[in-house]
């Protein structure tokens, strides 16, 4: 495995599969952070970036950035910084997903509206293409996103869509079953309900209350230690 022990910045050339390298978990967790920053830099017109410049954006030490990047492939010329477009292409390939994903949202209530209003996924994964809700008062166009009747799910389902966000409180399992039949293979769940999914489908639950409870516990532990 090649490691970069030189303090100079380099242009990253070529790509190798991360599966063939023993990439640390902490490094993998930082890759999406780098990608988001690189896409923002590209959007601002930057073509090359030094590790010190990137460090100021992501708040990660330059030495850590250079070490993390060394897992991604062969290293080229030194002293010119990283080619932003090249890095973005390599991250897209190595992370194994399309970073222009069409995401659908099921549920246009309070949580759903907040997600539609935010909808800043474009630097990382894509955007919410459309939403579905059972309530006619929530249907129409909200924050530039079309909201359809949930009964039209199969008819309105975006071609090639793989990711869905669940922000509903009723008929959760039956809705999940319908989504999977339409081709959904990844679910982000805000429902706090037990959901059954088949093999080949990934479910990520978001539980803000549990996160706050964990934070309170950890904070209390720190106070006790002082």
């Amino acid at each position: 495995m090649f490691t970069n022990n030189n303090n100079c910045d380099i242009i990253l050339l070529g790509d190798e599969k991360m599966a063939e390298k023993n990439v640390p978990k902490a490094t993998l967790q930082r890759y999406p952070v780098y990608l988001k920053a690189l896409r923002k830099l590209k959007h601002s017109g930057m073509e090359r970036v030094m590790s010190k410049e990137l460090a100021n954006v992501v708040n990660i030490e330059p030495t850590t950035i250079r070490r993390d990047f060394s897992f991604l492939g062969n290293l080229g010329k030194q002293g010119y910084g990283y080619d932003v477009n090249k890095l973005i292409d390599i991250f897209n390939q190595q992370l194994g997903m399309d970073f222009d994903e069409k995401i659908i949202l099921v549920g246009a209530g309070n949580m759903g509206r907040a997600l539609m209003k935010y909808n800043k996924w474009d630097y990382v994964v894509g955007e919410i293409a459309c939403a579905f809700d059972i309530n006619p008062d929530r249907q129409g166009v909200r924050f530039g996103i079309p909201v359809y009747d949930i009964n039209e799910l199969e008819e309105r389902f975006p071609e090639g869509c793989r990711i869905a966000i669940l922000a509903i409180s009723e008929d959760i399992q039956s809705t999940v079953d319908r989504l999977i039949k339409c081709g959904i293979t990844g679910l982000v769940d805000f429902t706090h309900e037990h959901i059954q999914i088949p093999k080949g489908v990934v479910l990520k639950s978001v539980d803000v209350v549990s996160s706050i409870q964990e934070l309170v516990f950890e904070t209390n532990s720190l106070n006790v230690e002082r």
Side-chain angles (χ1 to χ4, degrees), residues 98-140:
D98 181 358
F99 284 88
D100 291 315
E101 287 280 349
K102 294 179 181 178
I103 304 168
I104 67 170
L105 170 68
V106 183
N110 292 335
M111 176 62 73
R113 285 197 299 272
L115 292 170
M116 286 189 288
K117 184 177 181 180
Y118 177 72
N119 202 21
K120 294 180 180 178
W121 324 100
D122 55 321
Y123 293 126
V124 185
V125 292
E127 63 180 2
I128 296 177
C130 64
F132 296 89
D133 199 283
I134 193 66
N135 189 336
D137 294 336
R138 298 172 181 171
Q139 296 164 16

Side-chain angles (χ1 to χ4, degrees), residues 28-38 54 57-58 60 124:
L28 291 174
Q29 292 174 337
R30 286 190 290 268
Y31 281 166
V33 177
Y34 296 141
L35 180 60
K36 181 177 181 179
L38 289 165
L54 186 56
V57 178
V58 298
I60 297 173
V124 185

Side-chain angles (χ1 to χ4, degrees), residues 68-220:
D68 288 347
F69 283 8
S70 72
F71 289 102
L72 291 173
N74 297 324
L75 304 179
K77 273 187 175 181
Q78 297 180 352
Y80 292 94
Y82 293 100
D83 184 301
V84 172
N85 288 326
K86 178 71 71 173
L87 281 175
I88 290 173
D89 289 343
I90 291 175
F91 274 124
N92 285 345
Q93 295 169 13
Q94 298 290 352
L95 292 174
M97 63 181 295
D98 181 358
F99 284 88
D100 291 315
E101 287 280 349
K102 294 179 181 178
I103 304 168
I104 67 170
L105 170 68
V106 183
N110 292 335
M111 176 62 73
R113 285 197 299 272
L115 292 170
M116 286 189 288
K117 184 177 181 180
Y118 177 72
N119 202 21
K120 294 180 180 178
W121 324 100
D122 55 321
Y123 293 126
V124 185
V125 292
E127 63 180 2
I128 296 177
C130 64
F132 296 89
D133 199 283
I134 193 66
N135 189 336
D137 294 336
R138 298 172 181 171
Q139 296 164 16
V141 178
R142 300 289 183 270
F143 307 105
I145 300 171
V147 182
Y148 304 119
D149 190 325
I150 189 63
N151 294 318
E152 300 177 357
L153 175 63
E154 288 77 9
E155 178 185 349
R156 300 282 193 176
F157 190 86
E159 183 179 356
C161 182
R162 303 181 299 171
I163 308 297
I165 301 174
L166 296 174
I168 53 178
S169 58
E170 298 179 357
D171 300 323
I172 297 170
Q173 185 64 58
S174 61
T175 301
V176 168
D177 294 340
R178 291 174 65 192
L179 289 167
I180 293 173
K181 287 182 179 179
C182 287
I184 290 296
T185 56
L187 293 160
V188 180
D189 174 33
F190 284 90
T191 70
H192 303 162
E193 295 290 329
H194 175 70
I195 298 173
Q196 292 182 325
I197 56 173
K199 290 183 179 180
V201 177
V202 179
L203 176 68
K204 296 292 184 181
S205 297
V206 180
D207 190 339
V208 177
V209 174
S210 293
S211 297
I212 294 174
Q213 289 175 334
E214 292 174 6
L215 184 61
V216 170
F217 178 79
E218 293 178 10
T219 303
N220 290 339

